[in-house]
Amino acid sequence: MPETLGRRWPFKRSPTIVLACVALIIWTMFAGQWSDKGCDLFPQSYGLVISHVGGPDHYQGCEDELGDPTYTDNYRGWP
C-alpha cells in the first residue's frame, strides 16, 4: 500500500508543547487574580504566582506605595 504523504497533526508526537501551553494558560489565570488585587500584571503578578504557588488568599494583594504597587499580607481591598 502506498504511504499517505499528507500533513500530519503537529502535536501528535509532541505532548510537551501541549502541556507547556496548558501550563502557560493556568499561570496566566492565576496572574490575573493577582492583577485584580492591585498588582502589576507583568512581571509582579507572574512572579507572585510562583512565589505563592497559585492565586492570592483573601488577605493578600498589592497596595500603592510611592506610585508602585507593593505586595502586602494586610490587603484592605477585600470586604
Side-chain angles (χ1 to χ4, degrees):
M1 287 193 190
E3 285 189 29
T4 309
L5 297 175
R7 288 184 165 182
R8 292 190 315 186
W9 178 248
F11 300 122
K12 185 175 183 180
R13 300 221 178 203
S14 58
T16 306
I17 294 172
V18 174
L19 291 176
C21 289
V22 169
L24 184 62
I25 290 169
I26 292 171
W27 190 19
T28 302
M29 286 176 16
F30 282 127
Q33 291 177 2
W34 282 103
S35 179
D36 291 343
K37 294 280 197 117
C39 303
D40 288 335
L41 183 62
F42 186 79
Q44 190 175 30
S45 291
Y46 282 96
L48 286 169
V49 170
I50 294 172
S51 64
H52 291 276
V53 190
D57 289 332
H58 65 280
Y59 58 86
Q60 295 174 323
C62 294
E63 294 179 349
D64 281 337
E65 285 189 17
L66 302 174
D68 285 332
T70 305
Y71 170 78
T72 181
D73 277 334
N74 297 319
Y75 181 66
R76 299 173 200 266
W78 61 283

